[in-house]
Amino acid sequence: MKQLTISHSKDQDVLQELYQSFHEIVNGTNQELLQENANVDGRSPCGLMSKFASESAKFYVREYLLTTETKQAMEENIIYPHDLDYYSSGTTTCCQIPLGKLLERGFNTGHGYMRSPSDITSAMALATIIFQANQNMQHGGQSMPTFDVDLAPYVKKTFNKIYGRLKSYSTNWSNEMLEAQAWTETEQTTYQACEAFIHNLNSMHSRGGGQIPFTSINYGTDLSKEGRLLVKNLLLATQAGLGNGETPVFPIQIFKLKKGVNFDEQDPNFDLYQLALETTAQRLFPNFSFIDSPFNLEYYKEGNPQSEVAYMGCRTRVMGNCHGVQNSVGRGNLSFTSINLVKLALISENRDMFFFHLNHYIDIIIQQLFDRYLFQANKQAGDFSFLYSQGIWNGGEELNSGSSLEEILKQGTLSLGFIGLAECLKSLTGNHHGECDEAWELGKSIVSFMRDKMDQASEEYDMNFTLIATPAEGLSGKFTRKDQAEFGYIEGVTDRLYYTNSFHIPVYYPIRAFDKIRKEGPFHQLCNAGHITYIEVDGNVRNNISAMDTIVRAMAKYNIGYGSINHPVDQCKLCGYSGVIENECPSCGGTNEKNFNRIRRITGYLVGDMSKWNHAKVNEERHRVRHGVQG
């Protein structure tokens, strides 16, 4: 263990930088620092304490846990290990929770045993508790991959309970009458359970009261009566909104699309897909994942819901596995580190030099990711009791509290991320990949190169190295500010407050929806650790479901893995009107901007109060142009 010494001017500079951060936290003078994550109120007491801890932890990690090569690459503004503040805790980024297993056998959050529920009301309440307990164990988000399948048995239990009660005092009713009434009451109970689930996930806090749990659920393919009933009422409860009609921010909802199940008119769950489109038109969720895209379909086994692709949060995907079953359940991402493609382009005189630099820094990242895994693996299972003793991660329940985590964590993924492909291409060619085919081809070559490096690392290390399209929130501004200080303002490259996320066509570039989908589609296959394509639609789409359907079908055609449709969703705090508000509420005539909630998607999740956005993301949101659907 290193000893703390303050003997060099550089050490003094590092400490001075830390002290400066503390002053900015106390005085609330640095919005970028306080609101790196819009899901955390950085000005609240718990938020402030969290920021103090975060900045201190990052200092410790940089000084004691990172190699010289990694620190130098970070100082050069070329790489960034995400959630650096959680590095020393040894926890992982995220996980797809095996909800069905936990509900069937019960679980313990550390303060008492929760037995298996006997109805859907209890089951949904326990699902909420599982989310909250798990959020305190991981630094990223969490998801439930087969939400409808896992909860369907508890809808059935609810029906049986109600049917038995009705039969006990309705002696003159026929069996058909009893069943009809029992299903009616079961539906009412299920709706109330879904409503409570959504309300709870938008009001409870974790991490010392500083954050709403970052939650996702995947559903849409269960063909049972019970599973269909659950999804129907979950969507209806989402449409209804919160207590004053507010749009629910969590959970992130992901509707899984599959031909033969819900995609075409003759499919048994087609009605649920239509209801999902209506809900998206009102509430921005659900997003849509595509099981039939080749890179998702390769894992699919008919009749096995756990083989269906599942996403979480902004885009994370975990499927391939060289140490066990190839699906999402009970697995997650261990950590990811992003590379600044723009900086690499700015220091390269030509394309050959760019790829030389890219290869060099990816090698540094690969080693850093593996070193972080070794640090995580040497932690003990008892340090994360809920994650492992309860079997959140596959095989964790077989460990004792003193067991190391090496074999369990081998099932997770180590991911390289990237930011600023568009600006990188602009620097190298004069155009980004939305503007010309030559730039697009080079962009694909760059991303293919990164994916090949991850595949090679998987073979060399016998680990699941993967490539993710980074969902940059705080990072979109961090990289940019430092590059601007070094290189100045270069048109189309460093002249904005943000870099474009991952492989996306820039938000400010006018392009038709179908062209954007077609150009971004091939990058989804390359980014096997996660990806998303956004389409921005103008105006109120509630009465134009066919346009939404057209966009989703275009995504399916061009092999999008995970897609989302953005459009304005505003609410008047005075009268509760929800829809599109320009300068005046169409219902009450109010004109005070402070009385309007404007729900927008910041990366992959929703935020209704843009005062919690950092300056880079506020600027990016203002530059977003709508993508035409017609023509």
Side-chain angles (χ1 to χ4, degrees):
M1 177 66 69
K2 293 182 181 178
Q3 296 297 316
L4 179 62
T5 57
I6 309 297
S7 57
H8 302 291
S9 59
K10 187 175 181 180
D11 295 325
Q12 295 284 0
D13 290 342
V14 170
L15 281 177
Q16 185 60 42
E17 183 180 345
L18 179 63
Y19 295 153
Q20 180 62 32
S21 296
F22 288 165
H23 290 311
E24 291 173 347
I25 291 169
V26 171
N27 296 313
T29 56
N30 189 337
Q31 178 78 353
E32 307 302 305
L33 180 62
L34 290 175
Q35 295 300 161
E36 287 184 299
N37 187 324
N39 186 34
V40 178
D41 185 356
R43 296 181 181 274
S44 69
C46 288
L48 290 173
M49 288 300 295
S50 177
K51 288 307 299 180
F52 268 109
S54 175
E55 294 306 304
S56 301
K58 289 177 184 176
F59 170 79
Y60 179 85
V61 171
R62 284 193 296 262
E63 293 301 304
Y64 299 107
L65 299 181
L66 299 180
T67 65
T68 301
E69 292 77 13
T70 296
K71 287 194 291 185
Q72 181 177 342
M74 292 174 64
E75 291 169 2
E76 292 170 342
N77 200 39
I78 292 176
I79 77 169
Y80 183 83
H82 290 266
D83 299 288
L84 196 67
D85 46 355
Y86 278 88
Y87 192 124
S88 58
S89 74
T91 191
T92 53
T93 302
C94 54
C95 186
Q96 290 277 5
I97 298 172
L99 176 62
K101 180 173 72 173
L102 269 67
L103 292 180
E104 183 178 2
R105 71 183 189 193
F107 59 91
N108 192 327
T109 62
H111 300 284
Y113 179 75
M114 306 290 176
R115 62 179 177 272
S116 181
S118 60
D119 57 32
I120 189 60
T121 302
S122 298
M124 294 288 269
L126 291 180
T128 306
I129 292 170
I130 290 168
F131 267 141
Q132 186 176 35
N134 194 69
Q135 184 72 83
N136 289 316
M137 294 284 145
Q138 302 196 269
H139 57 70
Q142 64 250 274
S143 180
M144 293 174 177
T146 52
F147 194 70
D148 45 358
V149 173
D150 291 342
L151 286 168
Y154 303 97
V155 176
K156 184 65 173 178
K157 286 186 176 184
T158 303
F159 169 81
N160 290 337
K161 184 185 292 188
I162 294 173
Y163 180 86
R165 173 176 55 79
L166 291 173
K167 189 173 182 179
S168 69
Y169 61 74
S170 304
T171 56
N172 295 327
W173 286 18
S174 66
N175 188 61
E176 289 76 12
M177 294 172 62
L178 285 170
E179 285 196 2
Q181 181 61 27
W183 278 117
T184 297
E185 293 189 26
T186 298
E187 179 139 14
Q188 294 170 348
T189 302
T190 301
Y191 178 85
Q192 291 174 339
C194 291
E195 184 179 51
F197 176 74
I198 291 171
H199 278 69
N200 285 334
L201 285 185
N202 285 274
S203 59
M204 69 181 186
H205 288 79
S206 61
R207 294 181 179 168
Q211 182 176 11
I212 297 289
F214 196 96
T215 55
S216 306
I217 54 176
N218 297 255
Y219 57 76
T221 57
D222 190 348
L223 300 180
S224 71
K225 181 168 184 161
E226 297 81 13
R228 284 174 41 78
L229 187 146
L230 175 83
V231 172
K232 171 188 172 184
N233 285 282
L234 178 67
L235 291 168
L236 291 175
T238 303
Q239 288 186 16
L242 302 178
N244 290 323
E246 302 96 333
T247 292
V249 172
F250 289 109
I252 294 171
Q253 299 184 38
I254 303 152
F255 191 92
K256 297 186 284 188
L257 285 166
K258 178 75 181 71
K259 292 178 180 178
V261 176
N262 52 31
F263 196 54
D264 296 314
E265 192 169 356
Q266 69 274 16
D267 294 343
N269 279 3
F270 181 72
D271 58 332
L272 295 179
Y273 166 52
Q274 294 300 301
L275 185 60
L277 288 172
E278 294 173 12
T279 307
T280 300
Q282 292 186 43
R283 300 297 186 182
L284 289 166
F285 286 142
N287 299 335
F288 297 93
S289 65
F290 300 85
I291 295 174
D292 289 313
S293 291
F295 46 87
N296 290 331
L297 190 61
E298 66 176 294
Y299 300 104
Y300 177 75
K301 296 179 177 60
E302 188 172 356
N304 179 5
Q306 294 193 350
S307 69
E308 298 169 357
V309 66
Y311 291 83
M312 71 178 81
C314 305
R315 64 200 67 195
T316 309
R317 171 186 181 273
V318 177
M319 290 299 291
N321 188 7
C322 57
H323 289 284
V325 179
Q326 299 196 83
N327 63 32
S328 294
V329 185
R331 303 173 56 220
N333 178 249
L334 303 183
S335 68
F336 71 104
T337 296
S338 288
I339 192 165
N340 181 356
L341 295 179
V342 191
K343 177 67 180 285
L344 294 186
L346 290 171
I347 63 174
S348 300
E349 296 178 2
N350 53 53
R351 297 181 189 182
D352 288 341
M353 184 175 291
F354 171 84
F355 279 100
F356 173 82
H357 288 313
L358 182 62
N359 183 73
H360 171 71
Y361 286 103
I362 291 177
D363 284 341
I364 292 175
I365 290 174
I366 289 171
Q367 186 61 52
Q368 180 266 313
L369 289 169
F370 186 68
D371 288 345
R372 190 168 183 176
Y373 155 72
L374 293 177
F375 183 84
Q376 292 167 321
N378 281 324
K379 291 289 183 176
Q380 296 182 350
D383 297 331
F384 315 95
S385 56
F386 190 73
L387 274 182
Y388 303 113
S389 66
Q390 304 306 305
I392 302 294
W393 276 74
N394 287 335
E397 63 270 38
E398 299 173 7
L399 303 177
N400 59 53
S401 62
S403 298
S404 67
L405 304 172
E406 181 178 1
E407 295 304 315
I408 299 297
L409 295 185
K410 276 185 177 180
Q411 301 176 79
T413 58
L414 297 168
S415 301
L416 164 70
F418 61 98
I419 189 171
L421 179 65
E423 290 80 9
C424 165
L425 294 171
K426 195 81 172 178
S427 177
L428 291 174
T429 72
N431 294 289
H432 61 67
H433 52 311
E435 293 176 306
C436 76
D437 291 341
E438 178 193 359
W440 186 91
E441 290 292 346
L442 178 59
K444 187 180 179 185
S445 296
I446 291 170
V447 179
S448 296
F449 182 89
M450 292 189 288
R451 171 61 186 274
D452 288 343
K453 289 285 290 185
M454 292 299 100
D455 290 346
Q456 293 165 14
S458 294
E459 293 186 12
E460 180 180 349
Y461 288 84
D462 193 27
M463 295 288 293
N464 297 308
F465 279 91
T466 52
L467 180 67
I468 187 170
T470 296
E473 185 178 336
L475 186 58
S476 66
K478 285 179 182 177
F479 274 160
T480 313
R481 286 191 300 274
K482 292 183 179 180
D483 285 347
Q484 287 173 342
E486 183 175 354
F487 299 98
Y489 291 80
I490 303 171
E491 184 178 356
V493 182
T494 62
D495 56 344
R496 292 176 174 84
L497 297 182
Y498 58 89
Y499 286 151
T500 299
N501 274 7
S502 61
F503 57 71
H504 295 169
I505 304 294
V507 298
Y508 51 80
Y509 181 69
I511 187 172
R512 294 189 323 133
F514 302 144
D515 290 334
K516 185 175 192 290
I517 292 167
R518 176 176 56 82
K519 287 177 178 290
E520 291 189 1
F523 293 99
H524 282 237
Q525 182 167 359
L526 295 172
C527 297
N528 57 338
H531 41 245
I532 195 169
T533 283
Y534 298 110
I535 294 298
E536 300 280 341
V537 182
D538 200 4
N540 192 338
V541 296
R542 297 185 184 193
N543 298 319
N544 195 4
I545 303 303
S546 62
M548 306 281 283
D549 178 63
T550 299
I551 293 172
V552 172
R553 292 186 182 280
M555 290 180 175
K557 176 181 178 181
Y558 290 107
N559 293 325
I560 296 296
Y562 182 36
S564 177
I565 301 172
N566 296 338
H567 53 88
V569 174
D570 304 319
Q571 185 188 31
C572 178
K573 299 177 185 178
L574 297 178
C575 69
Y577 171 82
S578 182
V580 176
I581 302 175
E582 299 295 344
N583 299 316
E584 178 181 315
C585 174
S587 177
C588 70
T591 58
N592 191 334
E593 181 66 28
K594 293 182 179 179
N595 292 324
F596 302 149
N597 270 337
R598 300 194 182 276
I599 302 294
R600 299 293 184 268
R601 204 183 308 267
I602 185 166
T603 48
Y605 65 98
L606 306 182
V607 181
D609 183 1
M610 290 179 63
S611 67
K612 296 180 181 178
W613 290 34
N614 62 61
H615 294 313
K617 295 308 291 185
V618 168
N619 194 254
E620 184 255 286
E621 193 276 336
R622 290 173 180 165
H623 290 170
R624 294 176 188 175
V625 299
R626 309 304 179 194
H627 303 125
V629 180
Q630 304 301 324

